[in-house]
Amino acid sequence: FTFVYVSDALAIPAAMLFTKLIMKRSYLWTHLIGGAVCMTGIIVNTVSDINDSHVDGHELSSDHVKGDILAIFGAILLGLDDVLSEIIVSEYGGVTEMVFMKGFFGTLISVGQLVAFEMDSVQALFVDNGRSPCVLSWRMILFSTHVVTRALDVTGEMQFLFVSEAALLNLSLLTSDLYAAIFDVLTTGLQLTIHFYIAFFLIFAGIVLYEAGPSPANIHQGATPLDIQIRKRKSMGYETNNLSASETEHKSNLGLLKQIELT
């Protein structure tokens, strides 16, 4: 779970930093405090998980440290990916094209990685040797479900970025830990500690604080959060206003020509 916690925590400041550097947006104190409160919730959960690992007698190996370092770099790249996706979705190709490109090139990269590093695991997945506790048909159901839900997840994230922004996306994704915990409680009988409830309360409070201020995407206009307004409607209104202005200018030019002809 360390990878999940580290990614959740570091993707938030990474997204805010890259948004500031690339998109030149400004953040208010409400945004900074909200993000800090959410990260505090993740830290509480992470410390609890590490303490539980020490109690269980799990030693910290070099592979564990290497995995944490890779998780840190992955979280930073995740924040950058969300910011770049927001730029592409809102200013260039739109949601449909972005989802297609992510799916197409993501599939090519994933297949290349599977061929290079994971062929043994792929063969084990599709071969039923009778020794696995999970039969082949059930494995295929789980695999297909994962593919479908992952596609829906990417589509939903791109649609969210179209109407909102990258930092709020990463803040909102923190609540996914709640659903994972509920699943563990129902399926494995996991007993949740007090640290989990404290962490979830902090995450929820941080999101509320972040949303209390105007959206960084429209902060200088003092508007309410941008995700309340559908950006598509704004762009349509902008095009309509431009069209009306062009028609007015065209009519005024025609009036001037007529006056010149009369004189």
Side-chain angles (χ1 to χ4, degrees):
F1 294 109
T2 305
F3 169 77
V4 177
Y5 296 152
V6 170
S7 297
D8 286 345
L10 293 182
I12 297 168
M16 298 177 73
L17 177 62
F18 287 122
T19 299
K20 176 70 174 180
L21 295 177
I22 299 175
M23 305 184 73
K24 309 300 181 183
R25 289 179 180 169
S26 301
Y27 289 97
L28 299 178
W29 283 108
T30 53
H31 301 132
L32 300 178
I33 294 175
V37 171
C38 286
M39 291 180 62
T40 302
I42 290 296
I43 292 172
V44 169
N45 222 355
T46 304
V47 172
S48 174
D49 182 61
I50 293 175
N51 290 336
D52 291 341
S53 298
H54 287 309
V55 171
D56 294 338
H58 295 159
E59 297 295 332
L60 196 64
S61 64
S62 60
D63 290 337
H64 189 97
V65 174
K66 185 188 298 182
D68 287 347
I69 294 175
L70 292 176
I72 291 173
F73 282 108
I76 295 173
L77 292 177
L78 178 62
L80 176 61
D81 174 73
D82 288 336
V83 173
L84 295 178
S85 296
E86 180 187 350
I87 295 173
I88 295 173
V89 166
S90 60
E91 299 181 10
Y92 295 100
V95 175
T96 302
E97 183 175 353
M98 187 61 183
V99 170
F100 173 79
M101 290 299 178
K102 273 185 171 287
F104 179 74
F105 289 103
T107 300
L108 293 181
I109 295 173
S110 298
V111 170
Q113 291 175 336
L114 286 175
V115 173
F117 306 108
E118 301 288 343
M119 283 303 298
D120 293 338
S121 299
V122 173
Q123 292 175 0
L125 176 64
F126 291 97
V127 175
D128 192 356
N129 54 18
R131 292 178 295 179
S132 175
C134 186
V135 297
L136 181 61
S137 59
W138 183 241
R139 274 181 271 172
M140 293 301 99
I141 292 175
L142 293 176
F143 176 74
S144 302
T145 303
H146 173 74
V147 172
V148 172
T149 53
R150 183 57 184 156
L152 294 175
D153 173 60
V154 173
T155 304
E157 288 184 10
M158 295 304 103
Q159 188 64 50
F160 186 93
L161 290 175
F162 184 75
V163 299
S164 188
E165 43 105 15
L168 182 58
L169 171 65
N170 284 281
L171 290 171
S172 301
L173 288 177
L174 295 180
T175 56
S176 61
D177 293 338
L178 170 66
Y179 303 110
I182 292 175
F183 178 82
D184 286 337
V185 169
L186 295 177
T187 57
T188 65
L190 176 69
Q191 297 294 324
L192 299 177
T193 64
I194 187 63
H195 299 93
F196 175 83
Y197 296 103
I198 295 174
F200 183 75
F201 172 79
L202 290 172
I203 291 170
F204 182 80
I207 295 175
V208 172
L209 283 173
Y210 188 94
E211 278 283 75
S215 170
N218 206 17
I219 197 169
H220 296 293
Q221 285 77 16
T224 55
L226 187 62
D227 40 278
I228 298 177
Q229 306 170 7
I230 303 300
R231 188 174 296 176
K232 184 182 296 184
R233 295 179 182 175
K234 292 182 65 179
S235 63
M236 291 175 62
Y238 175 78
E239 292 172 358
T240 303
N241 292 336
N242 281 348
L243 181 61
S244 300
S246 299
E247 290 178 351
T248 303
E249 183 179 359
H250 179 66
K251 291 180 180 179
S252 62
N253 290 337
L254 288 177
L256 289 175
L257 288 175
K258 288 182 179 179
Q259 292 180 3
I260 293 174
E261 289 176 357
L262 292 175
T263 56

